[in-house]
Amino acid sequence: MDFNTKSIILLADDDAEDRMLVTEALEEANAGCTIKFVEDGEELMDYLLHRGKFSQKEEFPAPNIILLDLNMPRKDGREALIEIKSHEHLRCIPVVVLTTSKAEEDILKTYSLGVSSFITKPASFTSLVDTMATLCKYWFGTVKLPLSLSCYSII
């Protein structure tokens, strides 16, 4: 599949095993992206706003897409999504919920908050590989994203 290796996925998920599985699924799908991780909504906002340990913009570049788990400690995905969408310079970054939740309430709430897509985490690794391949093909092969995410670079 080999998309642009400059494409950056920022995964916000507190589960180390899920982070590893997503990384392996992206490798298996030959996505060719760089993946960065944060473990909760607080770290996600620190990364996006270049605060604390994420202050080095070269080391922690703007993501082309955010994969967001809903159920995380400190600040959950819903709260982080509200904060992302409240920052004019962050709104243009596509946010895809990737969660175990199948609750209609979560689906409705996140779409009303401006999420780009809602995906329930697949149960099998093979399905996860297929999901990651489809996600990358869509976001990095089909959709036209801003080249520089200039809306993000104003901070």
Side-chain angles (χ1 to χ4, degrees), residues 25 121-134:
K121 290 178 182 173
S124 75
F125 182 71
T126 302
S127 295
L128 182 60
V129 170
D130 291 343
T131 298
M132 290 297 105
T134 301

Side-chain angles (χ1 to χ4, degrees), residues 79-124:
E79 295 166 319
L81 181 59
I82 290 168
E83 191 169 346
I84 289 166
K85 297 302 179 181
S86 74
H87 288 271
E88 185 176 340
H89 58 279
L90 300 178
R91 279 188 211 139
C92 66
I93 303 170
V95 179
V96 174
V97 167
L98 181 64
T99 187
T100 56
S101 176
K102 296 179 182 178
E104 185 68 17
E105 177 182 331
D106 284 335
I107 297 167
L108 288 170
K109 177 75 173 176
T110 55
Y111 275 111
S112 73
L113 294 173
V115 77
S116 303
S117 298
F118 189 103
I119 299 171
T120 300
K121 290 178 182 173
S124 75

Side-chain angles (χ1 to χ4, degrees), residues 126-146:
T126 302
S127 295
L128 182 60
V129 170
D130 291 343
T131 298
M132 290 297 105
T134 301
L135 182 135
C136 289
K137 182 178 180 184
Y138 178 73
W139 285 105
F140 303 129
T142 303
V143 171
K144 189 72 173 159
L145 292 172

Side-chain angles (χ1 to χ4, degrees), residues 59-73:
E59 189 177 347
F60 304 104
N64 298 92
I65 189 169
I66 298 168
L67 297 181
L68 180 65
D69 186 27
L70 291 182
N71 302 311
M72 299 181 291

